Amino acid sequence: MTKILIVEDEPGIAFGLENDLQTEGYATSVIGDGAEAVRRARAEVFDLILLDIMLPNKDGFEVCRELRRGGLKTPIIVLTAKTQEAEKVMGLDVGADDYVTKPFSPRELRARIRALLRRAAPDTEDLYRFGKCELDLGRFELRRNGQPLDTTTTELKLLAAFLRHRGRVLTRESLLDEVWGSGISITDRVIDNHIVSLRKKIEDEPTAPRFLVSVRGLGYRFDG
Ligand code: CA
């Protein structure tokens, strides 16, 4: 389900947006505070952010600037006041993808959202999501809370192998084949070490993994 974060402090507008977008089949979350919006956008993966400008604690420009500075690529549509021509330009300057002026027509906003989601949508096979992470094979990077992580090529290949076969047990032999290629001689220990280091990056508790679980006597399985 496509998830949209609505950052709007006027309850009436927020409610209208939420109602309208849910009717369209989107999942929505509403935040009415700028600082909280930054935290939320970093802690959870959203497909798009609707961002009001005048917000308590941190205005929409600052929210946008901070998220972009932190490397977040989520499409952002800024909701600007009609009279404020400068706001539109500034919104784009700080890294928003588009803007809609208030009062906006719900139909126009929906069209902008669809267009932006289409533009932002990578090939589905190139992007895997789980928990707070995304494995982006197009860019060949692993992100957590939207931030790229330091990873080795082997870790990324290993993770991709797991994500292609979610819920299935992969033996060390099959991982060896898929990641290193057959005919390469690697000890089980080497595979296990890569798993340990991958867990440190993707798991909240690496010693009690939720995603990359060990299957005793067989190998590993990716749950989620
Ligand atoms: Ca406002």
Side-chain angles (χ1 to χ4, degrees), residues 23-186:
T23 307
E24 287 292 297
Y26 298 113
T28 55
S29 300
V30 174
I31 299 274
D33 172 296
E36 184 57 32
V38 171
R39 274 195 295 276
R40 190 72 185 273
R42 284 177 173 163
E44 216 177 303
V45 177
F46 291 96
D47 298 285
L48 188 137
I49 300 171
L50 288 181
L51 184 59
D52 184 33
I53 296 300
M54 298 296 285
L55 293 165
N57 288 322
K58 201 166 268 183
D59 72 25
F61 296 129
E62 193 48 40
V63 171
C64 194
R65 201 180 287 126
E66 260 183 55
L67 292 176
R68 292 299 189 235
R69 210 182 283 142
L72 195 85
K73 304 278 197 299
T74 311
I76 297 177
I77 297 180
V78 168
L79 308 173
T80 66
K82 192 162 199 162
T83 47
Q84 309 275 296
E85 197 60 33
E87 281 191 355
K88 302 174 188 171
V89 179
M90 191 155 168
L92 300 179
D93 272 355
V94 296
D97 297 273
D98 202 355
Y99 58 82
V100 170
T101 49
K102 284 178 172 178
F104 46 82
S105 94
R107 211 175 60 171
E108 190 199 338
L109 180 60
R110 287 197 300 266
R112 298 286 189 95
I113 289 173
R114 276 196 303 272
L116 202 46
L117 286 173
R118 245 192 331 265
R119 235 155 69 202
D123 288 344
T124 45
E125 299 207 342
D126 282 352
L127 189 75
Y128 295 94
R129 289 181 173 167
F130 56 96
K132 299 167 183 165
C133 297
E134 290 174 311
L135 175 64
D136 184 339
L137 292 176
R139 301 169 66 101
F140 211 58
E141 72 180 17
L142 173 63
R143 296 186 289 270
R144 189 179 166 103
N145 295 329
Q147 317 277 344
L149 298 176
D150 264 341
T151 45
T152 64
T153 303
T154 302
E155 285 166 358
L156 293 181
K157 284 173 148 181
L158 202 50
L159 184 57
F162 280 109
L163 287 164
R164 275 194 292 268
H165 309 290
R166 285 187 203 223
R168 262 173 54 194
V169 177
L170 296 181
T171 61
R172 292 184 180 77
E173 295 74 55
S174 61
L175 287 170
L176 184 59
D177 270 1
E178 194 155 344
V179 176
W180 284 269
S182 50
I184 304 285
S185 165
I186 297 270

